Amino acid sequence: NAGVMQNPRHLVRRRGQEARLRCSPMKGHSHVYWYRQLPEEGLKFMVYLQKENIIDESGMPKERFSAEFPKEGPSILRIQQVVRGDSAAYFCASSPQWEQYFGPGTRLTVT
Amino acid sequence: AQTVTQSQPEMSVQEAETVTLSCTYDTSENNYYLFWYKQPPSRQMILVIRQEAYKQQNATENRFSVNFQKAAKSFSLKISDSQLGDTAMYFCAFMKGGGGADGLTFGKGTHLIIQP
């Protein structure tokens, strides 16, 4: 059973560009979560999704950030018009019920 | 809102020693879950151990065990016979219970260094 997959592992974007981060949950897991980790800090919850539904987006910035988990395909975290402050590691986790298993993360660098 | 506090930014012990990492949390919930995650230099988040708040028995996974004190809202991690591969950041995390999964609230982490 493959683990949670994230791609790309590293992403470099210039200010103003769009970043798309992908997450494929573990087989059989219907819950997906996105977290952001700034340097020297713990992970901060952003959004929780189930197939075709956003369950909790209380941790998402109000502008430029969006997330989806379509019926088919991976979950996508999209950041529009990136700024330097968006540079961070973004982790996806999936869960069958309550234990969350993390992917390897995507390190986003905004230049 | 929940908060998780890890008061030890860094700890260092000799290989084979036992080390305890502390974690306290604040919540008004009665039903919740607690976790310890390990983040080695590879940055992969690895689930070390989990505890359901309704269970009185402390969780154990091989060399890893917890001391869960619900009344004191304390959830410490004990690593016995520490190994070089245990060197990592360790994060304590909280999740509300009640029917469906929820986002995790993490502490700021403890950097554990195992010295040879």
Side-chain angles (χ1 to χ4, degrees):
Chain A
N1 190 4
V4 178
M5 312 284 284
Q6 287 188 251
N7 68 80
R9 294 292 306 276
H10 300 275
L11 182 61
V12 179
R13 284 288 177 265
R14 291 191 177 139
R15 279 178 295 172
Q17 291 185 320
E18 177 179 286
R20 280 192 179 222
L21 287 62
R22 293 174 183 75
C23 169
S24 296
M26 289 176 71
K27 188 176 180 181
H29 289 192
S30 58
H31 307 258
V32 166
Y33 309 79
W34 286 93
Y35 294 83
R36 176 164 63 176
Q37 185 177 32
L38 296 171
E40 310 301 325
E41 291 194 12
L43 278 68
K44 295 276 196 265
F45 168 73
M46 299 179 75
V47 62
Y48 160 37
L49 311 104
Q50 293 181 18
K51 285 282 187 184
E52 299 185 280
N53 282 304
I54 296 174
I55 307 301
D56 181 358
E57 55 182 347
S58 58
M60 286 274 272
K62 293 286 185 280
E63 296 176 351
R64 301 187 298 108
F65 285 73
S66 62
E68 62 176 7
F69 188 16
K71 188 176 180 181
E72 301 290 337
S75 175
I76 307 283
L77 178 69
R78 182 204 229 182
I79 311 172
Q80 295 177 299
Q81 298 175 320
V82 296
V83 301
R84 288 234 172 99
D86 296 333
S87 294
Y90 291 83
F91 288 90
C92 165
S94 74
S95 170
Q97 193 168 9
W98 58 277
E99 290 180 3
Q100 295 185 22
Y101 297 90
F102 283 80
T106 293
R107 182 174 292 281
L108 173 65
T109 302
V110 179
T111 61
Chain B
Q2 286 70 228
T3 59
V4 177
T5 302
Q6 294 180 249
S7 58
Q8 304 150 312
E10 185 169 293
M11 295 187 72
S12 180
V13 298
Q14 296 293 123
E15 194 175 5
E17 288 184 347
T18 293
V19 60
T20 299
L21 309 183
S22 66
C23 171
T24 58
Y25 58 94
D26 189 24
T27 184
S28 57
E29 303 285 334
N30 191 49
N31 183 17
Y32 52 88
Y33 304 94
L34 295 162
F35 306 87
W36 279 96
Y37 282 89
K38 169 184 177 181
Q39 188 177 43
S42 66
R43 301 189 67 83
Q44 172 79 52
M45 292 290 287
I46 302 165
L47 177 61
V48 174
I49 199 165
R50 70 203 50 89
Q51 175 83 42
E52 296 96 314
Y54 63 86
K55 287 188 177 177
Q56 292 186 330
Q57 187 172 6
N58 288 323
T60 299
E61 289 285 344
N62 301 312
R63 297 183 295 109
F64 299 87
S65 61
V66 297
N67 183 3
F68 174 46
Q69 301 289 327
K70 190 172 183 180
K73 295 181 181 173
S74 170
F75 183 62
S76 61
L77 174 70
K78 185 171 88 170
I79 305 174
S80 303
D81 186 26
S82 56
Q83 300 174 0
L84 296 178
D86 295 334
T87 293
M89 285 292 293
Y90 286 82
F91 293 98
C92 179
F94 172 102
M95 186 177 77
K96 285 192 302 184
D102 205 349
L104 292 162
T105 300
F106 284 89
K108 288 188 180 297
T110 296
H111 184 202
L112 176 64
I113 300 167
I114 309 299
Q115 305 274 9

